[in-house]
Amino acid sequence: MSTPVKVAVTGAAGQIGYSLLFRLASGALLGPDTPIELRLLEITPALKALEGVVMELDDCAFPTLAGVEIGDDATKVFDGVNLALLVGARPRGPGMERGDLLEANGGIFAPQGKALNEVAAEDIRVTVTGNPANTNALIAMSNAPDIPQSRFSALTRLDHNRAISQLAAKLGVPVTEITKMTIWGNHSATQYPDLFHAEVSGRNAAEAVGDQDWLANTFIPTVAKRGAAIIEARGSSSAASAASATIDHARTWLQGTPEGDWVSMSVVSDGSYGVAEGLISSFPVTVANGEWSIVQGLDIDDFSRGKIDASVAELAEEREAVKELGLI
Ligand code: NAI
């Protein structure tokens, strides 16, 4: 077996953590031949619960789990990590305004960005799942000046997977027939799941659906509001699917995209498709040798342009708000 890959998970005692850690430990990310060392960060009051989770990890006797360390000090937990999955975040409490939410999360992601900058491994890659994921990633990135900006990302893979599943169900085809799905913009209700560039068995998805009303008034809102629908049905937010998408995202980043396909990742914009430079926005990306690139040259019609612009405007507002708070 090779040297263990050190993977940090924050919010490790939370709901997503409870699904994510066991899949990571069992080899879902790195495969059966690469050992993984887990570095788990929590706030002090949650460390006892986290100890219980670690007892369960021990009890699974996973052959690929080379070690687990836990703690409440980011500088210790992130020391030498190759991959950081930033899941822990401050949820919106009752009566909390967006500015308060951004500020509370700035208090988490600015110090975590600084700690990664100081102690993470050279090849560090960072994925933010904790909401508001795109702007939290922007805050972490802005506080880690020595880490290349391309090493920061936010999770829109869950939205991507939801869009694939909804389209496959509509057309009665297996999910494996769907390629080139794209989520544009923010991981929020303004996100734009795009069927105009997606394909079903190689055929344009919007044409295969042939129903603009379904696309605009059923598909897009179903994907964008799926999180709320799950809370309504389950009584708590999506956790297993969020953990699964976090692993999909990180695995694609490490292993690459298949020929003829792409994935959705929120990454720093270089101005492509009119998305203001420096925003962390979701794009269609291909990945090779651990580096992502935004797919270029897609035609964007007026319908898509309006949807992308609306979501990107929200990201720009969030960036202004965190700038005013001095977080970036
Ligand atoms: P949860 O509330 O069950 O767990 C969050 C954990 O983070 C808690 O254990 C808490 O103690 C911990 N935490 C808080 N501040 C921390 C800090 N400074 N350092 C380390 N840990 C800290 O929440 P859950 O369900 O696990 O969700 C986590 C986040 O993921 C939420 O922000 C949620 O909105 C987001 N999410 C994102 C999705 C996406 O597609 N991007 C999908 C689903 C959830």
Side-chain angles (χ1 to χ4, degrees):
M1 279 224 182
S2 43
T3 344
V5 175
K6 296 185 175 72
V7 178
V9 178
T10 69
Q15 273 210 90
I16 293 176
Y18 197 63
S19 179
L20 181 60
L21 301 183
F22 294 85
R23 294 204 46 209
L24 289 170
S26 69
L29 174 64
L30 304 169
D33 301 323
T34 309
I36 186 168
E37 183 180 322
L38 291 174
R39 301 293 194 84
L40 310 179
L41 184 72
E42 258 297 349
I43 52 173
T44 319
L47 284 177
K48 182 149 189 286
L50 185 55
E51 281 171 17
V53 178
V54 175
M55 286 159 76
E56 285 203 71
L57 280 167
D58 290 343
D59 294 351
C60 292
F62 288 119
T64 41
L65 184 58
V68 186
E69 280 182 34
I70 72 169
D72 57 5
D73 179 346
T75 315
K76 286 192 185 135
V77 173
F78 291 163
D79 190 26
V81 297
N82 309 103
L83 178 69
L85 305 175
L86 307 185
V87 177
R90 179 76 191 276
R92 192 187 288 248
M96 209 172 179
E97 298 294 329
R98 191 175 62 165
D100 303 333
L101 181 73
L102 292 169
E103 189 167 16
N105 278 292
I108 296 173
F109 288 86
Q112 289 184 0
K114 289 191 175 101
L116 287 166
N117 195 57
E118 215 180 299
V119 301
E122 275 287 298
D123 66 348
I124 180 68
R125 285 179 175 75
V126 184
T127 296
V128 177
T129 296
N131 280 319
N134 296 57
T135 298
N136 288 341
L138 178 71
I139 295 170
M141 180 182 85
S142 307
N143 282 276
D146 303 330
I147 301 175
Q149 295 196 332
S150 63
R151 301 288 185 76
F152 286 84
S153 67
L155 187 76
T156 31
R157 186 65 171 265
L158 178 55
D159 311 294
H160 176 100
N161 289 345
R162 285 168 171 166
I164 288 178
S165 148
Q166 291 297 320
L167 177 63
K170 167 77 175 169
L171 296 173
V173 300
V175 289
T176 45
E177 290 302 306
I178 313 271
T179 53
K180 300 184 177 173
M181 183 59 73
T182 308
I183 304 293
W184 298 91
N186 199 1
H187 168 69
S188 77
T190 67
Q191 66 177 261
Y192 172 47
D194 174 4
L195 289 191
F196 294 99
H197 301 100
E199 292 180 359
V200 183
S201 316
R203 181 177 171 210
N204 181 273
E207 277 170 33
V209 169
D211 183 349
Q212 177 68 19
D213 180 58
W214 178 83
L215 188 157
N217 300 315
T218 302
F219 171 74
I220 294 174
T222 300
V223 173
K225 294 180 189 161
R226 186 72 164 176
I230 287 167
I231 293 175
E232 170 77 24
R234 203 174 90 88
S236 55
S237 63
S238 40
S241 53
S244 191
T246 302
I247 289 176
D248 288 345
H249 173 112
R251 197 199 305 111
T252 299
W253 202 354
L254 297 173
Q255 294 181 3
T257 40
E259 190 62 37
D261 200 3
W262 65 60
V263 294
S264 307
M265 266 175 88
S266 286
V267 292
V268 64
S269 176
D270 59 355
S272 293
Y273 298 102
V275 177
E277 218 178 312
L279 290 176
I280 302 240
S281 183
S282 190
F283 287 101
V285 305
T286 53
V287 183
N289 306 316
E291 305 288 336
W292 53 263
S293 338
I294 297 172
V295 174
Q296 296 297 324
L298 301 179
D299 282 333
I300 306 294
D301 67 8
D302 289 349
F303 177 84
S304 297
R305 185 76 265 162
K307 299 273 182 204
I308 295 170
D309 287 352
S311 194
V312 170
E314 183 183 53
L315 285 172
E317 278 171 30
E318 290 182 12
R319 176 165 69 179
E320 275 318 299
V322 295
K323 227 183 235 170
E324 271 169 34
L325 291 164
L327 294 167
I328 62 170

